[in-house]
Amino acid sequence: MPEEMAGNIAQQKASLLSQATQSLRDFRYSQHHHTAGTFPVAQMTQTGPRRIQNSGMEDESREQSQSSSTGMRLIVPLQGIVQGRGGLILGSVIPCAMFYFLQFYLKRRRSPPNLPHEQTSNPPSPSHSSSNLTELSRSASRSSLLLSRGSIGRPHVSSRVHSIAKSNDSPYNIGLDKVSADPYDRLNNPNGVIQLGLAENRLTLDLIENWITEKLNESILSGIATYQPFDGMTELKVAMAGLMSQVVGRTVTFDPSQIVLTSGATPAIEILCFALADPGNAFLIPAPYYPGFDRDMKWRTGVELIPVHCRSSDNFTLSIPVLDQAFNQARKRGQKIKGILLSNPSNPVGNLMTRETLFSLLDFAREKNIHIISDELFAASTFGDEEFVSMAEIIDSEDTDKDRVHIVYGLSKDLSLPGFRVGVIYSYNENVLTVSRKMTRFSPVSAPTQRLVTSMLSDTTFIKNYTEINRERLRNMYDLFVDGLKDLGIRCTKSSGGLYCWCDMSGLIRPYNEKGELDLWDKLLNVANINITPGSSCHCIEPGWFRCCFTTLDETDIPVVIERIRLVVETCKSPS
Amino acid sequence: MAIEIVQPSVGLSKIAVSETHGEDSPYFAGWKAYDENPYHEIHNPSGVIQMGLAENQVSFDLLEEYLEANLESANWGQKVSGFRENALFQDYHGILSFRKAMASFMEQVRGGKAKFNPDRVVLTAGATAANELLTFILADPGDALLVPTPYYPGFDRDLRWRTGVQIVPIHCDSLNGFQITPEALEAAYDHATSMNIKVRGVLITNPSNPLGANIQRKVLEQILEFAIQKNIHLVSDEIYSGSAFYADEFVSIAEVLESRNYQDSERCHIVYSLSKDLGLPGFRVGTVYSYNDQVVTTARRMSSFTLISSQTQFLLASMLSDKEFTQKYIKINRERLKKRYEMIINGLKKAGIECLKGKAGLFCWMNLSPYLEEPTIKSELAIWKTIMHEVRLNISPGSSCHCFEPGWFRVCFANMSEETLEVALSRIHEFIKERKQGL
């Protein structure tokens, strides 16, 4: 399963972390303590064989061969076989055969006679590591093994359970957890952890609050308690089309009948993956990319992600030749590419795609006959001098072949309403729309929220005002934050959108690799109490880059943040 | 609506083109007929009356009354700063007060006979999502869940479509009132095994849809024993638990587990929702309640794809925690549903139609087999078409619920006014009269 790839990366990170940071003990979800109960060695060996198919991809893209276990070294040579290159057969078959026999032997010894042999079955072990679930007395159930007829051990759960348990080891999630446990508050908890790892925008919420107080007076319940169309009420689709049009500067008119509403952009992306790709198919995705995509796109769909690496020398913009190369390499490996996923404005870098690049991408997609998903979640959160160009604008000027373009949007970033769960699939493909509509039954928008949001979006004067002020405040915070970092000698790429900046701390890491980057991340989190997102979580190929979200802060918080970073920077610069 | 991929310019997935979304079944076809020609007392008195949608509108006034009286909680009140936190809140743990409220409401619905721990409540945007989520977690593609027939037609889609999991039916028949027997459970399991399909769990709906009947305690215990013996999961969809007409006749699996001191409970999971009992399907509030820590953790993470709007959580939290209100609501709701049920049962009886003796749900399970030309599904569908197009009632044929005995129909009664129900009954009366004369 492709989830294993993310799990594998996460596992390697976990082992790197454990070498560097004993202080992470409290928050580390080590292999030995995750909630599935304990199965130390078993975990590696049980999932080992499944990793074969992905290790090849992973090796090529990560360009690093640090493997922390014998298991990996045995598996990696198999890559050659899987990819049909042969050549390493003898050298790899024998150790692998021995490896498999060892695993088989261990499993037979370990599992009780009446459990079916599954790759992913849980060995019979006490469950129960969540300390807050103490109400139910479990001791009785354990001691009653004699009473229950012949069933020992816990019932099987799907492989999806294990893959997600592992991915919670990632720094991205660890950092978020740490903030939840000890959040900074200027007055009440000035030493708490400052959140710069969540792309949440608090800068302009006051305007929305005012709108609610003044304008929201309709009765929430009239006519909306009953079953509504799962893909959203028409009024909201109309209002959303209006919003999207306004956000792109009225260069495009969006058609409400091409809108499918979902409970957030997260399910919107997943639904598109279900609709466009079969398990095992792949999407090309410019890297660095939003860490959540690993889960959102791959977990339940079985789809794979192939990063297309962007580099600082290009200011992390996407290069079509590099994209082409990634496509060809994938094809050689026998992978079927179904589409490209773009984020525009990009996350974590904050670049806007130029009109030229968008046209080139469309040509590329046509040539290869694949889809384009354009995630435009931050479309109104732009603050630079460049204008935002939506894929819709590009496709609008074409007469044919629109069937391959799908846009994802939502209110979580531009309107700061992540809690309300409002996302959009906008597609030019009737078949995709039909399927998506059916799938929204699993991820619909709550009716009272639809009512409230329709009201708000229909107030176009308010929305226009809000968007303008939001942009100003974003720009202001961006400038202040980037200047603050500049004083510390930390450069950022020139961003034009998003709620964050992309910072180059490569000069501060030692050694110049992922381990060094994670060391710095750890120091910033546990010593400076700042949660930022390391580039490796975003699959950035160059070590030392970090994403810092500045929209959860007040202007007055910035000096605090800079000061804390300074302390760590000093320790990095001092001779070791 | 069929997806035609002849020469695709750019292809879609197998899931996209499969028929497993199940929307070609008569169950959904009937809705279309209704959509095209919906009954209205004044404007369209000869339109199709919707009796194929299990929606509860009988107690809505109670909700409206409550919310009007407590408008503050509906609009974040004076404390608009509450709005800010609410708008930003996207934690998949859900708002604690809401989780507590859900746990408390679930306890109330079961008359306090079982306790629910808010930390085991995982929130999803509806029970549809909850069922799919559990299936993703408990089974791999190709595996199977055993489901007693007849069952809710939506399961074909919810449990199978995107998950790749199969449904193997547990055959139940009218000889014992469609109850589940240990023999039927074994037979289903053996059938799956003989086809080399791994069974991962049993999914029951209690009270049952479409039967409208409570599962007896003894049968629940047998099903649990079966699950233990085979080392598989037991999912109990209790979405109609508040719609059992007599509170003491509904037994939740939670009660069975509590009486066994939660022995073997880690294979048990309950699905619940506010769509039926509280008549708020538009709000999309569902929950997975699991006794298995690992499942709870995974379900929480997976709920990221189907979070409940924080606004809705906030809106309902205080209402659901208001024990005085919920107790009153549950009691009155049960009474009204019972009254409706009696009305329809008696009306059908007068027309010469028998129904299964059920004491729960928003529908009754009607037996038209005496009126079929032949005891076949074909005849059942023929009579169904007639009822839909000539009598203009949308009811759901048993075959769409995978009932193996032809002639049974599910008839919903809670989504209309009493007057409309009278109209429906008189139409049926006429139809049967003509039918009898014809036969």
Side-chain angles (χ1 to χ4, degrees), chain A residues 178-366:
Chain A
K178 186 132 203 252
V179 173
S180 301
D182 181 23
Y184 167 81
D185 183 291
R186 209 169 307 122
L187 298 167
N188 302 322
N189 190 17
N191 295 321
V193 185
I194 300 184
Q195 175 69 291
L196 302 183
L198 182 62
E200 187 184 77
N201 181 1
R202 302 187 178 201
L203 304 181
T204 324
L205 267 175
D206 55 320
L207 265 66
I208 299 196
E209 279 170 345
N210 293 338
W211 188 92
I212 300 266
T213 334
E214 287 162 29
K215 302 286 188 73
L216 187 67
N217 48 24
E218 284 175 49
S219 166
I220 295 259
L221 284 199
S222 54
I224 56 161
T226 54
Y227 278 106
Q228 306 295 327
F230 281 121
D231 61 321
M233 302 195 274
T234 312
E235 310 95 80
L236 180 50
K237 290 185 184 179
V238 170
M240 185 64 74
L243 170 72
M244 289 167 75
S245 179
Q246 199 261 312
V247 161
V248 303
R250 308 223 165 273
T251 54
V252 181
T253 317
F254 287 87
D255 181 351
S257 69
Q258 286 174 243
I259 288 181
V260 171
L261 295 167
T262 59
S263 51
T266 298
I269 299 245
E270 197 201 29
I271 286 174
L272 282 173
C273 290
F274 270 121
L276 305 178
D278 293 319
N281 292 163
F283 281 87
L284 292 168
I285 178 168
Y289 60 81
Y290 161 56
F293 282 150
D294 286 325
R295 176 201 64 188
D296 298 349
M297 295 180 71
K298 299 181 353 177
W299 191 15
R300 309 192 298 184
T301 63
V303 150
E304 296 176 14
L305 293 181
I306 300 175
V308 178
H309 293 290
C310 305
R311 304 187 180 264
S312 54
S313 48
D314 296 326
N315 207 42
F316 292 96
T317 52
L318 179 63
S319 139
I320 303 288
V322 175
L323 181 69
D324 198 30
Q325 190 184 45
F327 183 90
N328 292 329
Q329 280 174 347
R331 216 174 26 183
K332 283 206 197 93
R333 289 193 296 264
Q335 279 178 302
K336 192 149 202 318
I337 305 278
K338 283 305 205 157
I340 309 168
L341 175 79
L342 314 168
S343 293
N344 176 29
S346 67
N347 180 1
V349 178
N351 284 339
L352 299 185
M353 294 214 151
T354 61
R355 200 170 258 114
E356 206 175 56
T357 312
L358 290 170
F359 271 113
S360 306
L361 279 167
L362 191 54
D363 286 337
F364 180 84
R366 280 179 177 144

Side-chain angles (χ1 to χ4, degrees), chain A residues 117-178:
Chain A
H117 277 292
E118 301 300 332
Q119 283 291 357
T120 52
S121 65
N122 298 329
S125 56
S127 62
H128 202 18
S129 56
S130 306
S131 52
N132 60 348
L133 297 169
T134 49
E135 268 194 32
L136 307 174
S137 63
R138 305 303 293 265
S139 53
S141 78
R142 287 299 134 221
S143 63
S144 72
L145 285 178
L146 294 168
L147 298 173
S148 60
R149 282 185 261 137
S151 91
I152 310 170
R154 304 155 74 224
H156 166 101
V157 287
S158 77
S159 52
R160 296 179 188 93
V161 170
H162 308 296
S163 58
I164 202 63
K166 275 176 281 170
S167 81
N168 243 53
D169 290 342
S170 81
Y172 181 68
N173 288 312
I174 292 175
L176 291 179
D177 286 342
K178 186 132 203 252

Side-chain angles (χ1 to χ4, degrees), chain B residues 61-287:
Chain B
D61 56 313
L62 296 174
L63 290 172
E64 262 178 342
E65 201 186 284
Y66 179 89
L67 283 166
E68 228 128 89
N70 297 277
L71 203 54
E72 286 203 356
S73 61
N75 275 340
W76 297 280
Q78 300 306 343
K79 283 174 44 213
V80 176
S81 60
F83 164 79
R84 171 178 290 243
E85 276 134 39
N86 193 246
L88 293 174
F89 186 89
Q90 51 175 334
D91 182 353
Y92 55 40
H93 287 83
I95 299 180
L96 181 60
S97 61
F98 182 65
R99 257 193 295 130
K100 284 186 171 156
M102 280 296 283
S104 155
F105 188 69
M106 287 169 76
E107 280 175 11
Q108 292 233 285
V109 164
R110 290 156 185 75
K113 287 182 278 173
K115 291 237 138 294
F116 288 93
N117 177 355
D119 290 332
R120 293 198 176 279
V121 171
V122 178
L123 301 170
T124 61
T128 298
N131 280 317
E132 196 202 32
L133 204 110
L134 269 176
T135 308
F136 269 121
I137 293 175
L138 304 179
D140 288 310
D143 293 346
L145 292 177
L146 304 181
V147 183
T149 64
Y151 61 78
Y152 163 55
F155 280 159
D156 286 327
R157 169 200 60 213
D158 299 347
L159 306 179
R160 303 185 316 161
W161 190 19
R162 306 193 301 181
T163 60
V165 165
Q166 312 184 53
I167 294 178
V168 172
I170 301 167
H171 294 310
C172 303
D173 57 58
S174 58
L175 290 174
N176 69 346
F178 294 95
Q179 289 183 75
I180 303 163
T181 63
E183 295 75 37
L185 286 165
E186 286 289 343
Y189 187 90
D190 292 339
H191 180 61
T193 320
S194 71
M195 294 195 291
N196 263 328
I197 299 173
K198 290 190 192 69
V199 175
R200 294 302 182 197
V202 179
L203 189 143
I204 58 176
T205 307
N206 176 27
S208 154
N209 177 4
L211 300 176
N214 295 312
I215 298 185
Q216 294 172 26
R217 189 189 191 99
K218 186 187 72 174
V219 177
L220 283 177
E221 286 167 353
Q222 285 170 341
I223 300 173
L224 179 58
E225 274 311 309
F226 174 79
I228 293 168
Q229 193 200 73
K230 306 291 185 196
N231 194 21
I232 58 179
H233 293 274
L234 173 55
V235 178
S236 181
D237 183 342
E238 303 189 347
I239 196 178
Y240 292 101
S241 42
S243 309
F245 312 145
Y246 303 94
D248 51 358
E249 293 196 1
F250 167 69
V251 179
S252 165
I253 193 75
E255 294 171 51
V256 173
L257 291 172
E258 204 164 287
S259 66
R260 303 159 55 100
N261 223 11
Y262 297 106
Q263 198 176 311
D264 299 301
S265 61
E266 88 242 329
R267 64 188 70 254
C268 297
H269 324 276
I270 298 176
V271 168
Y272 190 60
S273 152
L274 301 183
S275 298
K276 312 295 181 182
D277 292 347
L278 222 59
L280 295 175
F283 280 40
R284 311 315 303 147
V285 178
T287 167

Side-chain angles (χ1 to χ4, degrees), chain A residues 225 274 278 369 419 441 446 449, chain B residues 9 13-14 23 87 282 309 311-312:
Chain A
F274 270 121
D278 293 319
N369 193 21
R441 56 197 2 112
S446 183
T449 303
Chain B
S9 56
S13 66
K14 295 196 181 86
E23 294 201 4
S309 164
Q311 177 203 8
T312 302

